Amino acid sequence: MKIGIPKGLFYFKYYPLWKTFFEKLDCGVVTSPTNRKVLDSGVKLCADEACLPVKIYHGHVDSLNGKVDAIFIPRIVSIMKHEYTCPKFLGLPEMIKNSIKVTSRIIDTTVNLRGQHGDLFDFAMETGSIVTKDRYAIMNAFRDGLHEQHEFEKRLKECGDFESALKKDHDRNIPRPEKIAILGHPYVIYDSYINMDIAKKIQREGYSIITPQMIEDDIIRKYASKLPKRHFWTLGRENLGAGLSLLKCTDVKGIIYLSSFCCGIDSLMEDYLERQVARSSNMPYMKLVLDEHTGEAGFNTRLEAFLDMVRWREQNESNVSTHG
Amino acid sequence: MKVTFPHMGETYIALKGFFEDLGVDVVIPPECNKKTLQIGVKYSPETACLPLKVNIGNYVQSIENGADTIVITGSCGPCRFGYYGILEKEILRDMGYDVDMIVFDPPSEDIGRFISRIRKITNNKPVYKVADSLYKGYRIAKELDDMNKMMFAIRPREIKKGEVRRIYGEYQKEIEKAHGTREIFKVIDDNKKKLKDVRIDADRKVLKVGIIGEIYTVIEPFVNLYIEEKLGDMGVEVDRSMNVSEWIETNMFSKLLGFNSERDIDKAAENYLKTAIGGHAKQCIGNAVLYSRKGFDGLIQLLPFSCMPEIVASSILPSVSRNEKIPIMTLVLDELTGESGYITRLEAFVDMLGIRKETKVE
Ligand code: SF4
Ligand code: SF4
């Protein structure tokens, strides 16, 4: 059986798990490259007001459609106890089915770890049983998948680059001492097509990058708990916790928040973070909003201006500290 | 302590009665107006959803009138509404307003906290007294919904155009002056009597249109540009899929007692959307199906720009429309929605429904 995995949204979090899982069950796994065509078809097929990542996801489904036996579009309600992903993830299979005539089979099993009994293995069983009756094989494939995922996350923690972590060719040497943080949802900060390869651009300017996935979970949790309410958005919590924790790191010289136009989570959580940063630190901070109309030239200009400001700040501040 | 709260349609009347019975000092924000929106848009995050922006405007206008405590309801996800309180406080703080914000999460989440918050604002009034006033507040909401339904039915059938508007205008002045639930009940009752006397053409053929979508835009007339009145004037009988009393029923009573008062709606949505995804998307789909079964001529979905759950719903509605054979129009609302374009779209839709109905009859 040939399974298509759309290269968007939680692909950028769980691809190693899913790929290994299906491959161990003797399935072929197919993805499609992100390019202008995928973007354009996504924009055309998807509701106007949706955010860019959801649109691109539609484009990927469209490009896989008919070319594979099944397309894997899980309904990811929750990946963390007491928390949710985003309303759009909850309704993603329906959005797709009602916007695209999908001829391949759709695998839309549910991941819901919100409640007490949320169990990943239920999800694995349900998904695997579409491919094979062998429960034992499914268990094993899933265990292998989790192992791969774990190893992948370790690599990602070191390099902060999705592709390298995937290909296992990340270089962990010569990290530059000065860092620029890139915050945002994994499918924005790791999709070099959407974000116009921002990481490389920053690295070329002599900084290394740091992303939320490179920060320890308990640190993120600790700082995120500064919000006077229990978090219910996993993606919001991660970015807020990461952002606040970085304010204390002297090697971090600036923070860039990559957001998508119309992202409901960012519209509140990014704003909350931005207010805290402005209030309690003088960390250079910039929000960059991406949508299908974002032009690379304007994007580069803003990025360069920001980095110039960071450098200028550095020089000034070191002057101050020598006197202080 | 002077308490205020955000507007959502007529909710303020029920809340006013509730608080006044308990002797709480309330400041009702001025009816939503251009200035409210301007303030909200200026100080809220640009892509925050419209209700949050209007809330901010309400608060500022109330604070200017002396309010120092804001009472709102909350939720624990999955939609943005659950973080409104947190962010609104931040926004007000950065504007230099230091006010208390008391957030009531649904009692089903934590009944103890719910009660202690009520005690805090009511200055430790005995629980039975609070419960009694709460129930009266709910009864007011019920009465208001009933009154609205009367207006929805009469407006398109008036013999003398504008009667309902005139009566409603008088009522608004009276309700301002009424204090406590007893007086409020009386004003509503008088108004209903006046409405009953309006002369109507009972045989007139009118179109029936259901309003579905995101709850705030459905209920708050300022943000939906008084859609019920506009459609009524175009000869349409409207029905609102959601109203305040039902909201109280589901969120305050049913969930607490652990039963689902929206089972019919959920069931109707089943074929299109299996899980609840936040906001009222599932209700939107379910209501669309139910309206079609009840023989409505068309539906209008309202949602604020960038509303997460309703975008999912709006992707599904075309299928509902096709399968259930009912025209559905989606109207996205934000601070830039202009009156004239809006009317044009409404008129075109209503014309289409009219033609469709005629050809069907023939
Ligand atoms: S979290 Fe934001 S970007 Fe992601 S799907 Fe939801 S709205 Fe879109
Ligand atoms: S349902 Fe829509 S309007 Fe309400 S909080 Fe969610 S996104 Fe905002």
Side-chain angles (χ1 to χ4, degrees), chain B residues 128-157:
Chain B
Y128 77 89
K129 189 97 224 287
V130 173
D132 180 57
S133 309
L134 195 62
Y135 183 70
K136 283 190 185 134
Y138 161 70
R139 291 290 317 163
I140 290 180
K142 267 259 184 262
E143 286 293 309
L144 287 168
D145 291 336
D146 202 45
M147 182 181 101
N148 271 324
K149 286 213 177 90
M150 288 176 72
M151 294 200 291
F152 294 158
I154 300 169
R155 233 185 237 124
R157 297 183 173 91

Side-chain angles (χ1 to χ4, degrees), chain B residues 167-360:
Chain B
I167 295 171
Y168 187 69
E170 286 167 11
Y171 149 84
Q172 278 183 309
K173 286 199 198 97
E174 290 301 311
I175 205 84
E176 290 257 307
K177 288 183 258 162
H179 293 289
T181 49
R182 189 201 296 253
E183 284 177 35
I184 291 174
F185 275 124
K186 170 127 194 357
V187 174
I188 297 175
D189 206 47
D190 289 349
N191 190 55
K192 277 164 98 177
K193 281 192 192 115
K194 282 194 220 160
L195 286 170
K196 270 201 194 97
D197 292 338
V198 174
R199 289 205 308 131
I200 56 163
D201 174 357
D203 298 328
R204 191 178 292 168
K205 293 229 167 4
V206 300
L207 292 165
K208 286 181 96 173
V209 169
I211 311 282
I212 54 178
E214 187 277 325
I215 187 164
Y216 184 84
T217 39
V218 169
I219 295 183
E220 174 52 53
F222 173 71
V223 297
N224 66 32
L225 283 73
Y226 303 87
I227 194 168
E228 292 160 351
E229 209 178 299
K230 286 199 167 77
L231 287 171
D233 289 344
M234 292 176 195
V236 173
E237 177 173 353
V238 292
D239 191 73
R240 209 196 252 181
S241 59
M242 276 175 297
N243 52 43
V244 183
S245 65
E246 283 163 14
W247 186 87
I248 300 178
E249 279 161 30
T250 19
N251 287 281
M252 295 287 158
F253 307 145
S254 317
K255 278 198 192 138
L256 190 58
L257 300 173
F259 63 82
N260 180 0
S261 59
E262 297 183 320
R263 196 169 294 136
D264 292 350
I265 301 176
D266 278 353
K267 218 173 139 230
E270 200 63 18
N271 283 339
Y272 298 95
L273 182 62
K274 284 191 195 69
T275 31
I277 62 164
H280 291 81
K282 196 167 182 192
Q283 287 90 329
C284 170
I285 302 292
N287 279 315
V289 174
L290 293 178
Y291 275 133
S292 146
R293 287 189 198 147
K294 282 186 212 149
F296 274 63
D297 298 296
L299 303 174
I300 297 177
Q301 181 206 19
L302 298 176
L303 68 147
F305 181 69
S306 87
C307 174
M308 305 194 271
E310 291 297 330
I311 287 170
V312 177
S314 77
S315 319
I316 302 174
L317 284 176
S319 308
V320 177
S321 170
R322 218 175 311 120
N323 299 344
E324 314 289 332
K325 302 195 174 44
I326 184 163
I328 305 176
M329 173 167 75
T330 291
L331 291 174
V332 180
L333 299 161
D334 69 5
E335 57 264 33
L336 303 171
T337 310
E339 179 102 19
S340 65
Y342 192 74
I343 295 181
T344 314
R345 290 200 61 189
L346 286 180
E347 280 173 347
F349 186 64
V350 170
D351 284 348
M352 186 270 284
L353 295 183
I355 295 168
R356 190 170 173 272
K357 189 164 195 170
E358 270 169 34
T359 48
K360 229 170 153 186

Side-chain angles (χ1 to χ4, degrees), chain A residues 47 49 75 84 86-87 90-91 94-95 98 227-229 231-233 261-262 264 267-268 271-272 275-276 279, chain B residues 43 45 47 75-80 82-83 86-87 90-91 93-94 272-273 275 277 308 311 315-316 319 332:
Chain A
E49 301 84 29
R75 182 196 310 282
Y84 290 101
C86 158
L90 273 62
E94 280 81 10
M95 267 187 112
N98 289 284
L227 185 89
K229 175 173 179 124
H231 284 269
F232 59 74
W233 282 334
F261 185 59
C262 274
S267 77
L268 301 191
D271 188 79
Y272 184 85
R275 284 172 200 272
Q276 308 307 316
R279 234 181 256 159
Chain B
Y43 294 100
T47 50
S75 85
C76 296
C79 207
R80 279 188 264 190
Y83 287 125
I86 303 265
L87 208 79
E90 292 289 307
I91 296 170
R93 180 176 160 186
D94 282 342
Y272 298 95
L273 182 62
T275 31
I277 62 164
M308 305 194 271
I311 287 170
S315 319
I316 302 174
S319 308
V332 180

